[in-house]
Every structure is written in C-alpha cells, then in structure tokens.
Amino acid sequence: MRAFIMFLLGMLTLCGTARANVNIGDDGCLYCHRLKGLSVVEVKKNGKKEILDCSINDAKYLHSIHRNIHCTECHTKATSYPHNRALVKEVNCAAKCHVIDPATKRPFSHAAVYKTWEESVHGKNYKKAPDLYPNCQYCHTNRLLINIKKFETLEGSFDRCYICHRNKKWTEDRLAHVASRMDIPLIKNGFVSQFVETRRDGWEIVELCASCHEDKKKMEKAIKIEGIHNKYLKERILEAVDSYEKTMHSKMLYLDRSDTRAADCLDCHTNKGGNFHDIFHKDDPRSSINPKNIEMTCGRSTECHPLVPKYHMKNFAQTKWVHVEPVLGEDLSQTIAWGVEEGMFWMSSSVILFSAIIVILDTLKFMRRK
C-alpha cells in the first residue's frame, strides 16, 4: 500500500514538473541556463579574466516575443558541450522559425527584413568588421510588455503589421476589431496631427544611433572600410550627431521627448512604407535622403512638412543642410554660412566678455569706495 501511495505521489510530482515546464523548449537549454549565477570565466588575449553571466530569466523568456521558439533554432551552432562561446554567440535572424505565420500558413521568417539590412550601410560590410557595425541584437531588445497605445493611427498600425505579415487582406480583417477601438485621429487642415510612435520614443532612437555615430574612433574605422576619401564627407560623417543637435528637430525632442512631430534619425533615414532597415547611402537611388526622394521624405502627406510647395522642397531640404553644420571650403554657400556662424559666435562672445569686464570693474570700484 505504501509503495502504491509513493508511486502515485511520484507520478503527481512528475506531472507537476512537466506542467510547470510545458513552455520550455525541448532542446533542454533552460534546464541549466535558468539557474541564477550560472557563469563562465573567459581568459582574454591580454591574460585578463572576465566572468560572463550565462543565466537566463526563464520568466521573462516565457513572456517574450520568442517564447515559442527553441533556443537552438536561433543558436544553431550550439551542438556540443562545453559550448564554443564564439560559435554559440552567432545567431541567424533570417532562419525560418518553427512558428507558423497565421496569414500565410508557412514557417515565419525575418528573411526579407534581413536581406534589406544586408544591403544597407549597416549590413553590407558587417562581415568585414562584426564588432564595428550594428547587428540585429544591437538594436532589438525584448521588453516584457508592449504599449499598444503607441499605435495611434489606423494606417500607421497596419504599416507596422505589414512589415512581417505580408498578407494585407488577412491583416486588415484580423485587426479590424482592434483598430476600431483606437482613438480617432485628430485631423487639422486636412492633415492627421497624431503621429505613429515607435517602441522607442524619438529621443531613445537618437541615443541608440548616437551610441555609434558619436564615437569618433569607431566612425573613423568605418570610413576606412567604406573607402571614403572626400574630406568634406568625412567631416560630415564625424560631426553628424553634433550637427543634428543644432537642428530644430533635436531641440523639439529635447524639450518634449514624447513629441512625435519632431524628426528622429529613422524619420529621415528610412523610407515611408519600408521596413525601417532600408538605410542606404545618399547616392543610392533607394535612399530616403537621395535628392530624388527628398520630397517624399520631408513632405509626406500626413507628417513633417506637407504644406511646403513641391517646387521649394528640394531647396528647402537639401541633404547637406539638414544637419546644419556648415563646412568651410565645401562650396561658396557653405563657406558663407560657416563665416556667418563663426562671426556671430565671436561677436556674441565679445559682447558678453565686454559686459563681464564692465561689471567686474564696477564691482571693484564699489569695493574700493567701501
């Protein structure tokens, strides 16, 4: 009888364990990596030792967007133990997942987005310098919760869904009940005044891009790999963040980071209707900042500068003026702008310095009389 009771208790325990781990991938990775404090010691080339935390918060994993994907579907080279860290770290985000896309009934894949990234300025030279260019994991981080209020317009919501769900008819049908519960966009002067927000706000996007672009040493290495020799273009690349901070776009974000009217990096450097990875060099006809596409980029029908006449648009938003950092000697207009900026700086500094000297002398005179 006791043996039978112990058998039942054992079976219940096994069932409970199986139920508790029902969502854990059958590759068995989390059985070890879910342990807190799981770490390895890595010896670098200079002899220094570094402790690497290999533990994974299984609760966050089971609530993440990748919860239904097994670890080895992404970490395909984790085939032996102990793991080769360099190989395990490699992840192919273009691989087909075992999750079925309900719109197409086929295995889901980021292949289309990945191909765009490979052709972009970030991906085309990635294999030459993987530590220099941003990969998928550099920009994409999982959050436990997603704020659905950020999808403020019906059109904007569908645009973001179309990036992954190619079947537009299916998407519109499935999202109809969701979109109908959203706030009605406020329209003024025939234009939508509410803008679609991204998962990161504008200031966070600028900080993410600046984390690389304000690093002069990193950008100088990238310039060498890109084979850029034009000294003016080099200067523009190195000063991109500083020159953006001088613009009204940056000042609007600085005053109110939730202001979606202010243009962040992605608003200008990606194409409307694209997949937000299509960042190409300005000489590429696919680039959003190519002279042929400036009108669409800066004067979109529902945002930015829709009221600017078409014949003024190219002069209004020349790419070399957007970052407002005039370069001496590039051309006559740039040289004049540089001279005016420098003249205003020194004139303002002289006035302030003169005023300070007057105040100091007057103070000294008052102190001597006392």
Side-chain angles (χ1 to χ4, degrees), residues 131-132 138 211-212 215-223:
D131 296 330
L132 193 62
Y138 188 86
S211 65
C212 286
D215 188 333
K216 298 294 176 67
K217 292 182 178 180
K218 179 179 285 190
M219 296 311 298
E220 285 173 353
K221 292 179 181 178
I223 288 172

Side-chain angles (χ1 to χ4, degrees), residues 120-122 132-134 138-139 205-223 226 228 233-245 265-266 269 279-281 289 323:
S120 72
V121 292
H122 292 150
L132 193 62
Y133 292 91
Y138 188 86
C139 299
I205 290 174
V206 172
E207 288 179 334
L208 176 64
C209 297
S211 65
C212 286
H213 284 274
E214 68 181 357
D215 188 333
K216 298 294 176 67
K217 292 182 178 180
K218 179 179 285 190
M219 296 311 298
E220 285 173 353
K221 292 179 181 178
I223 288 172
E226 299 284 344
I228 298 173
L233 182 55
K234 287 181 182 179
E235 187 169 348
R236 290 200 172 279
I237 293 172
L238 294 175
E239 301 296 330
V241 176
D242 292 336
S243 59
Y244 169 78
E245 290 177 349
C265 308
L266 294 182
H269 290 276
I279 304 174
F280 302 107
H281 188 273
I289 59 173
H323 281 259

Side-chain angles (χ1 to χ4, degrees), residues 59-272:
K60 287 187 176 181
Y61 168 74
L62 295 176
H63 288 83
S64 72
I65 197 169
H66 292 144
R67 60 187 176 274
N68 293 323
I69 302 174
H70 299 159
C71 305
T72 51
E73 289 188 50
C74 296
H75 300 275
T76 56
K77 296 184 179 180
T79 57
S80 61
Y81 181 84
H83 305 312
N84 183 324
R85 181 174 175 270
L87 294 178
V88 173
K89 190 177 179 181
E90 293 182 16
V91 176
N92 182 8
C93 295
K96 289 185 177 180
C97 308
H98 290 169
V99 177
I100 302 299
D101 184 345
T104 61
K105 305 301 181 184
R106 297 177 181 176
F108 183 82
S109 174
H110 293 291
V113 176
Y114 191 83
K115 183 179 179 181
T116 303
W117 170 81
E118 280 188 317
E119 296 174 355
S120 72
V121 292
H122 292 150
K124 65 180 183 179
N125 290 314
Y126 176 76
K127 292 182 179 180
K128 293 181 181 178
D131 296 330
L132 193 62
Y133 292 91
N135 58 6
C136 306
Q137 295 89 340
Y138 188 86
C139 299
H140 292 278
T141 55
N142 287 324
R143 289 187 180 180
L144 193 57
L145 298 174
I146 297 175
N147 183 6
I148 60 172
K149 291 182 180 180
K150 289 190 174 183
F151 297 110
E152 292 187 359
T153 65
L154 214 151
E155 181 183 356
S157 300
F158 288 165
D159 283 345
R160 289 194 171 274
C161 297
Y162 294 153
I163 293 173
C164 296
H165 301 287
R166 299 292 177 176
N167 189 330
K168 293 187 176 182
K169 185 177 180 181
W170 177 91
T171 306
E172 291 174 356
D173 179 67
R174 295 299 188 274
L175 292 178
H177 70 286
V178 177
S180 64
R181 288 165 173 77
M182 294 181 179
D183 295 334
I184 298 175
L186 182 63
I187 300 177
K188 294 180 180 179
N189 300 323
F191 298 98
V192 179
S193 62
Q194 290 183 346
F195 296 76
V196 180
E197 295 182 354
T198 54
R199 185 171 64 85
R200 291 182 172 93
D201 62 37
W203 195 256
E204 287 175 321
I205 290 174
V206 172
E207 288 179 334
L208 176 64
C209 297
S211 65
C212 286
H213 284 274
E214 68 181 357
D215 188 333
K216 298 294 176 67
K217 292 182 178 180
K218 179 179 285 190
M219 296 311 298
E220 285 173 353
K221 292 179 181 178
I223 288 172
K224 288 182 180 180
I225 293 175
E226 299 284 344
I228 298 173
H229 303 291
N230 186 300
K231 65 177 183 179
Y232 301 117
L233 182 55
K234 287 181 182 179
E235 187 169 348
R236 290 200 172 279
I237 293 172
L238 294 175
E239 301 296 330
V241 176
D242 292 336
S243 59
Y244 169 78
E245 290 177 349
K246 295 182 179 181
T247 65
M248 184 59 67
H249 298 156
S250 175
K251 290 177 172 59
M252 289 174 69
L253 277 178
Y254 181 79
L255 293 173
D256 182 8
R257 61 189 299 163
S258 63
D259 187 352
T260 52
R261 298 171 299 170
D264 56 54
C265 308
L266 294 182
D267 288 323
C268 299
H269 290 276
T270 60
N271 289 292
K272 184 179 182 182

Side-chain angles (χ1 to χ4, degrees), residues 348-361:
S348 302
S349 301
S350 301
V351 170
I352 294 172
L353 179 61
F354 179 75
S355 302
I357 292 173
I358 294 297
V359 171
I360 292 171
L361 291 175

